[in-house]
Amino acid sequence: MREKIVVFTGAGVSAESGLKTFRDSGGLWHEHRIEDVATPAAWHADPATVLGFYNERRDDMRKAQPNPAHTAIARLEEAFDVVVVTQNIDDLHERAGSTRVLHVHGEIGKSRSTVDPTLIYDLAGAHIALGDLCEHGSQLRPDVVWFGEEVRFMDESQWHIERAAKVLVVGTSLTVYPAAALLDDAAHGAEKYVVSPDAQNCPCDYRLLRGTAATVVPYVVACWLEGRSVT
Ligand code: OAD
């Protein structure tokens, strides 16, 4: 049986693809207030602004390409049982070739009905406009998780991380719960790394590998594929 690896990612894994993070200087939450664009209350108060924010994110995602971190993570599937648990709403892991990606905060590439959450549509890069309706006649919204809404795939993510022999955390401030709490579910004896350019937010039983995703992740992946230890 192949060894299980969970790769847990945040906005920093896509930073070198040109997508903004949320909390770094110049990040999205410095330009926009969460309560204006990423909550159910914002949607009820001003859906046009919310749609505009996510349409911009989708445009940026379409222009971006996977970087060497995404590509290296996909290569792990050559030798390991890999599950990517991502907080990102972009599709760069899939476009790099990863086949098992759990989007705990949803996906910007999809829209969904506001009356039936099981009605999800592939947008193929298109904008969602006011007046775009699901088959029951209700306004479509982005298929993303807003603050105050239920995070997806938590049980499944927990199941995988508990059984992982290796856990690689990349590009996240680990400030948003419950997603960040998944790291606590990793086995005590698992090999656990955090890749980040800054030293903040590295849980105590994880080892910090300081640097950017596109430089450090390919190194870790090469070590694992070649059976070497990460030094
Ligand atoms: P943040 O913006 O909070 O954190 C990004 C992290 O990436 C920071 O720790 C940076 O130091 C790091 N970083 C920046 N550039 C990097 C690079 N080139 N390589 C590696 N790391 C780099 O983003 P997230 O942790 O993903 O949720 O944010 C979590 C959630 O907060 C998001 O999913 C989103 C947001 O609000 C919702 O909207 C529900």
Side-chain angles (χ1 to χ4, degrees):
M1 210 166 72
R2 291 179 158 206
E3 209 173 39
K4 187 183 285 295
I5 296 183
V6 168
V7 184
F8 181 82
T9 64
V13 77
S14 299
E16 286 153 288
S17 295
L19 299 184
K20 288 182 178 175
T21 65
F22 294 95
R23 296 175 180 81
D24 292 308
S25 79
L28 291 168
W29 295 155
H30 295 276
E31 294 173 354
H32 304 267
R33 291 176 351 131
I34 289 174
E35 50 274 44
D36 291 340
V37 295
T39 65
W43 174 248
H44 290 301
D46 187 354
T49 295
V50 174
L51 290 177
F53 175 75
Y54 287 100
N55 285 338
E56 225 176 276
R57 305 284 70 75
R58 194 175 307 105
D59 288 346
D60 290 348
M61 172 182 87
R62 286 183 68 204
K63 287 182 218 141
Q65 297 300 325
N67 68 52
H70 298 103
T71 309
I73 291 164
R75 276 196 64 210
L76 283 171
E77 292 187 21
E78 291 169 13
F80 297 97
D81 168 19
V82 184
V83 179
V84 178
V85 178
T86 187
Q87 299 164 93
N88 296 346
I89 57 177
D90 69 53
D91 62 358
L92 295 180
H93 284 301
E94 287 89 342
R95 280 160 58 199
S98 286
T99 60
R100 285 164 91 196
V101 186
L102 301 176
H103 284 271
V104 295
H105 290 163
E107 292 177 74
I108 192 61
K110 296 177 180 171
S111 64
R112 83 165 190 263
S113 163
T114 42
V115 291
D116 179 353
T118 66
L119 285 180
I120 294 171
Y121 306 91
D122 198 333
L123 282 163
H127 282 187
I128 308 176
L130 278 183
D132 288 350
L133 307 178
C134 76
E135 60 217 60
H136 297 315
S138 83
Q139 174 66 43
L140 290 176
R141 57 164 279 180
D143 187 31
V144 299
V145 173
W146 289 324
F147 285 88
E149 294 186 321
E150 195 175 342
V151 174
R152 318 251 174 101
F153 303 115
M154 287 300 284
D155 290 347
E156 199 175 336
S157 300
Q158 183 179 2
W159 190 91
H160 287 294
I161 203 162
E162 281 171 356
R163 287 159 181 77
K166 304 180 194 307
V167 179
L168 181 62
V169 179
V170 188
T172 171
S173 60
L174 296 173
T175 49
V176 175
Y177 286 78
L182 284 167
L183 299 202
D184 301 337
D185 294 320
H188 183 63
E191 212 183 322
K192 295 175 278 216
Y193 299 101
V194 169
V195 175
S196 174
D198 53 60
Q200 300 162 22
N201 310 312
C202 183
C204 57
D205 53 343
Y206 283 70
R207 199 178 122 206
L208 177 69
L209 299 172
R210 202 165 183 159
T212 73
T215 51
V216 178
V217 173
Y219 163 73
V220 177
V221 168
C223 290
W224 284 350
L225 287 175
E226 290 161 20
R228 290 186 279 128
S229 50
V230 178
T231 52

